[in-house]
Amino acid sequence: KITPNFAYIHYLLGKVYAAVEDWDNAITQFRKTVYINRDDLYAHHYLGASLAKAGQLDEALVAYKTVLELDPNFVYAHNAIGQIFLSKKELDKARSQFQRAQDILPDFAETMTGLGLVAYFEGQYGKAYELFERAKRHKHCEEWIAYYLGHAAHKDKRFDEAVTHFSEALKLHADIK
């Protein structure tokens, strides 16, 4: 007789709900997963992501901190915490998380993008541009990296480059306004 792994069923349901952006049900399922299996790193990670998407940033921070208790080198959690602090305009805390992620995985595009956004919001447009360029080299140019490059170039008075990057962003994804 096979006994179902109920924690894993809740986890899979959470991923399905997250895929269709039903954050309340995703959160419920991931909470059930971590209730049954406290050490499920990925369930805590996806719980944090779902909470963040639902706008519950303080609760998301708790979930991500649990991830880091389970694995202090989990780069995705450092980046996610950095993004939360960035959205709260807590730039020193954001930078700290992104730098920790960079220490673990130096060429991770998401980390360089996060550091670029911190520099951008601090008014360091040239530094932001360099970081976005570095992110672009390490990952196929996503529309958002092109978008950020356009903003940094514009603020740094590199107008021709701004036009190039904004045009690339529009070409890659027509929904960017």
Side-chain angles (χ1 to χ4, degrees), residues 31-73:
R31 281 190 172 142
K32 288 179 181 182
T33 305
V34 299
Y35 178 79
I36 295 168
N37 184 0
R38 174 85 175 103
D39 295 332
D40 190 325
L41 175 85
Y42 290 99
H44 284 287
H45 174 71
Y46 285 114
L47 174 59
S50 297
L51 288 163
K53 291 285 191 176
Q56 299 174 40
L57 301 182
D58 291 332
E59 289 186 57
L61 284 172
V62 172
Y64 285 125
K65 287 179 182 178
T66 302
V67 170
L68 294 177
E69 289 170 11
L70 295 169
D71 181 357
N73 293 321

Side-chain angles (χ1 to χ4, degrees), residues 10-148:
H10 287 297
Y11 172 79
L12 292 174
L13 275 171
K15 288 195 70 168
V16 169
Y17 284 125
V20 296
E21 299 182 6
D22 182 346
W23 305 120
D24 290 338
N25 281 317
I27 291 165
T28 298
Q29 295 305 319
F30 291 128
R31 281 190 172 142
K32 288 179 181 182
T33 305
V34 299
Y35 178 79
I36 295 168
N37 184 0
R38 174 85 175 103
D39 295 332
D40 190 325
L41 175 85
Y42 290 99
H44 284 287
H45 174 71
Y46 285 114
L47 174 59
S50 297
L51 288 163
K53 291 285 191 176
Q56 299 174 40
L57 301 182
D58 291 332
E59 289 186 57
L61 284 172
V62 172
Y64 285 125
K65 287 179 182 178
T66 302
V67 170
L68 294 177
E69 289 170 11
L70 295 169
D71 181 357
N73 293 321
F74 197 75
V75 171
Y76 297 103
H78 287 290
N79 279 330
I81 293 169
Q83 288 294 335
I84 290 170
F85 285 134
L86 194 60
S87 72
K88 294 173 134 194
K89 303 295 187 232
E90 296 181 35
L91 301 180
D92 289 336
K93 290 180 180 180
R95 181 186 310 98
S96 175
Q97 289 298 317
F98 292 130
Q99 285 175 335
R100 177 69 180 117
Q102 190 175 40
D103 290 343
I104 298 164
L105 192 60
D107 292 328
F108 195 45
E110 284 79 3
T111 302
M112 287 178 274
T113 302
L115 287 168
L117 288 169
V118 170
Y120 180 86
F121 289 123
E122 290 177 334
Q124 299 175 28
Y125 305 118
K127 181 178 181 180
Y129 187 88
E130 290 172 18
L131 287 161
F132 295 143
E133 272 290 320
R134 189 169 163 207
K136 181 179 175 180
R137 283 193 303 272
H138 290 282
K139 187 172 187 174
H140 178 69
C141 183
E142 294 180 353
E143 60 270 18
W144 287 107
I145 294 174
Y147 174 77
Y148 296 143

